[in-house]
Amino acid sequence: MVEDEEDHAKLSIKLLERVGYEVIWKENAKDAIEAYKNHPFTLCLLDIMLPDMNGDELISELFAIPKEIKPVILAVTAHAIEGLSNNLLAKGFDGYIIKPFEMREFMETVKKHMVL
Amino acid sequence: MGCPFHRSKKTPSDNLARRFFSSITKGESPILSVILDNTIDAIICIDEKGCILFFSKTAEKMLGYLSSEILGENVSILMPQPFADQHDGYIDAYLKTGEKKIIDTGREIAAKKKDGTVFPARLAVSEVFIDGKRVFTGQLSDLSIEKRAQIAEEKSRQIEEQAKIKNAFLTSMSHELRTPLHAMMGFIDCLKEEIDGPLLPEQKDSLERAGAAGKHLLGLINGLLMLSKATRPIFACEKTTCNFLAIVHFCINTMRPLAEKKGIKIIVDFPKTLRLIESDEEGIKQIIFNLLGNAIKFTEKGFINIKIEQVDQSIIMRMKDTGPGIAKENLAHIFFPLTKPFLSDNQSREQGGLGLAITKTIVQCLGGEITVSSKLKSGTEFSVKLPINNKKELNE
């Protein structure tokens, strides 16, 4: 998970760890790319407005890294703009979650993608 | 002093004008005469003192003078101040220095009509010699329309620019507001779901209320965003084939417990069959939830009557309540955002908020209309008309 808002990160970690997921949290794109290289992730949750990179750039950086099993990549954003969803899917995101989200909705989305 | 330095009318002194005219107008060159009368530009000729020698038909129309009344006048009569006073100086300077300021190049000037109206024009001047006498020929085109178009274009560009700034502002404001709200609502959720430990019923109730208020706030933020036209986060209007009756049933079933809690009956009057419609299901749901939510909220006792019928190529849904009604003076702006149209009979009501403004926006997005009628102490009726746009028939 890449998330620069500490509160948001803590909230998601709390929800995810509770049901047994292991979460690695990075606060910026640079650290996230480093972590991506070294861990076999199942799912990536990317905040698309990071201090050092936007979502488009980050996902293309991640795609450039060779991986045996490509993880599912979801965008997480507090932006609610018309056309955003199509834009994200076109950029290669497998899905997106809009903040504020409800706990159940968040967990369902994560669960769905962890099974895929 | 002669013509250029006196504004007094004086017939052009020598034979120049006469010869000049006769060559054009008295049939020596009929083609030239026709051309001169039919140019889009006004043509005005002056001698080197500024006296008008020729004034074309178009010039008459454009400037309001008759040729007969203006011949011999100083051309500065056609200019507003301060240009009128400076004009003699211009000619003088040119004659002395030979430095061309307008001749052969043309430029935009202000011209003055007989009635005093000043208008923007383009003037091109050329210099000819007739019998050794210098004649300046000016072509004047009226730029009023172009200028007006230019101003209108500039204005619409400014409006567009402002809209862009406004939308950028709203988008970033929405993001800024949603960010802390996400943490608030998320952690309230955690407590409420007892992730952090078991709660007493009172504690749970407090959190329910805090969570509901957070949702309300989020609704307001989304609503504001949606009302700014370029950014519509919730409602993108994706049209599919919809079963209107089924959608209404769904909404009523969802809201019924709320109504029953207040002892309000929801009475329906639906047709047996109704055409499927080409519309946006989420949009329709939101319209009905907003209207039904209001009806339940503002009705203390009695019933809510929902009637659906098909009229020509439209579906009309009427929702009538037995609430307090809305005063006539408030009815006019009921669809404006953040008005409080429900204050009547000293009843303190919750805010009118954005619900009806959003409802209207959605109805319009779907190509429909919404109207309201109301009578104090007797109730309010909203009527929503949506186009069918679909050939299929559904039997239920």
Side-chain angles (χ1 to χ4, degrees), chain B residues 114-163:
Chain B
K114 188 179 180 183
D115 66 9
T117 320
V118 175
F119 63 95
R122 179 159 195 87
L123 177 66
V125 176
S126 48
E127 184 185 26
V128 289
F129 287 88
I130 298 174
D131 291 348
K133 296 275 178 187
R134 201 190 301 262
V135 172
F136 296 110
T137 306
Q139 286 180 52
L140 197 65
S141 15
D142 188 344
L143 295 181
S144 311
I145 294 165
E146 284 91 333
K147 279 281 167 195
R148 241 176 279 147
Q150 221 172 38
I151 289 166
E153 199 177 302
E154 173 67 12
K155 223 178 216 161
S156 82
R157 203 192 54 75
Q158 276 174 5
I159 290 169
E160 217 169 273
E161 187 66 22
Q162 280 165 359

Side-chain angles (χ1 to χ4, degrees), chain B residues 200-347:
Chain B
L200 297 169
E202 297 81 28
Q203 292 169 326
K204 221 172 169 180
D205 180 63
S206 300
L207 289 167
E208 288 287 351
R209 285 168 192 281
K215 258 190 201 160
H216 185 185
L217 184 54
L218 178 63
L220 287 174
I221 295 167
N222 285 341
L224 278 175
L225 250 192
M226 193 165 80
L227 286 174
S228 80
K229 277 188 186 145
T231 45
R232 276 180 253 133
I234 317 163
F235 188 60
C237 189
E238 285 161 24
K239 288 194 180 168
T240 54
T241 303
C242 303
N243 182 343
F244 191 78
L245 283 180
I247 299 170
V248 179
H249 275 302
F250 169 81
C251 294
I252 293 174
N253 288 338
T254 312
M255 302 289 273
R256 201 185 291 278
L258 218 61
E260 280 170 356
K261 222 160 92 182
K262 290 182 79 176
I264 302 160
K265 260 190 162 171
I266 299 177
I267 302 162
V268 297
D269 179 2
F270 292 176
K272 282 211 170 65
T273 66
L274 193 67
R275 295 250 297 277
L276 292 172
I277 68 169
E278 204 62 21
S279 202
D280 181 287
E281 184 166 337
E282 288 310 308
I284 295 172
K285 274 186 194 162
Q286 210 171 338
I287 293 166
I288 297 167
F289 278 137
N290 285 350
L291 293 179
L292 195 53
N294 274 346
I296 295 169
K297 192 155 88 182
F298 296 117
T299 304
E300 290 308 327
K301 59 175 195 283
F303 56 87
I304 295 162
N305 194 331
I306 304 173
K307 185 178 178 179
I308 294 173
E309 57 185 336
Q310 185 191 318
V311 177
D312 297 327
Q313 292 304 305
S314 300
I315 283 176
I316 295 177
M317 181 186 70
R318 292 197 174 85
M319 195 184 294
K320 192 171 172 12
D321 65 43
T322 52
I326 304 155
K328 213 174 173 186
E329 60 269 28
N330 292 328
L331 212 54
H333 38 84
I334 191 168
F335 293 112
F336 291 171
L338 300 174
T339 50
K340 296 185 179 180
F342 299 109
L343 294 167
S344 59
D345 284 2
N346 299 323
Q347 281 168 305

Side-chain angles (χ1 to χ4, degrees), chain A residues 1-87:
Chain A
M1 176 169 62
V2 201
E3 175 59 77
D4 63 321
E5 290 281 339
E6 191 184 339
D7 284 345
H8 294 189
K10 292 250 163 95
L11 175 64
S12 298
I13 291 168
K14 189 178 206 163
L15 298 175
L16 293 168
E17 286 186 342
R18 183 172 147 260
V19 290
Y21 295 126
E22 189 190 334
V23 186
I24 293 174
W25 166 39
K26 297 294 166 192
E27 281 182 90
N28 57 57
K30 193 174 141 270
D31 293 351
I33 292 164
E34 213 44 52
Y36 186 87
K37 283 178 189 159
N38 303 323
H39 296 272
F41 290 106
T42 319
L43 178 71
C44 297
L45 294 170
L46 310 188
D47 185 297
I48 55 169
M49 281 230 328
L50 293 163
D52 55 342
M53 218 179 258
N54 67 32
D56 297 359
E57 291 169 302
L58 179 54
I59 196 166
S60 49
E61 291 272 343
L62 296 186
F63 281 151
I65 298 165
K67 275 268 172 189
E68 230 170 274
I69 303 160
K70 278 218 181 294
V72 171
I73 302 180
L74 300 182
V76 183
T77 176
H79 263 304
I81 310 163
E82 200 175 358
L84 178 78
S85 54
N86 287 337
N87 211 342

